[in-house]
Amino acid sequence: MYAWRPGMRVTAERLRAGRLAGTVDITPSTPVTNALYNGTFYRGEAVITFPAGVFTSPPVMSVTARSTVPGTVMECTYTSVSTTGVTVIVARSNQNSVILDWVAEQPL
């Protein structure tokens, strides 16, 4: 974030919030068998691309899953975060689509 000081002029660069948010719909299709989960679950991912110049360092991320079938989403997370994008990942017990809400914010 931009450091404000008393008496500074307001400019577009200083007003830039350094924050983006959005949603992505993922349908998990890759079957995974794991000893910790008694059976097969499904994983899916999506790549989110950030507009150029929004972030000067990799943003802090938050990801939340939404589902119309409670109790079937096992995990939602992200990886490979950079100033240009991030990969979001979801795992669930079936192959129904999941909407992920995400927020990316410039670190202080």
Side-chain angles (χ1 to χ4, degrees):
M1 299 298 264
Y2 193 87
W4 285 89
R5 292 181 208 93
M8 286 183 144
R9 289 177 31 131
V10 176
T11 65
E13 175 60 28
R14 292 183 184 136
L15 289 176
R16 185 180 60 82
R19 180 181 298 158
L20 295 173
T23 61
V24 61
D25 194 342
I26 300 174
T27 301
S29 59
T30 304
V32 178
T33 302
N34 187 308
L36 296 175
Y37 181 74
N38 191 18
T40 300
F41 63 92
Y42 300 90
R43 187 162 279 167
E45 64 181 48
V47 175
I48 297 166
T49 303
F50 303 140
V54 174
F55 300 113
T56 58
S57 61
V60 175
M61 295 293 305
S62 179
V63 181
T64 303
R66 281 192 277 155
S67 174
T68 58
V69 184
T72 61
V73 175
M74 301 166 63
E75 172 189 30
C76 68
T77 189
Y78 62 91
T79 187
S80 304
V81 64
S82 72
T83 58
T84 60
V86 65
T87 300
V88 292
I89 302 165
V90 67
R92 81 180 293 162
S93 62
N94 56 40
Q95 291 180 286
N96 293 341
S97 71
V98 179
I99 296 172
L100 293 186
D101 297 307
W102 59 268
V103 176
E105 187 168 358
Q106 176 75 37
L108 297 176

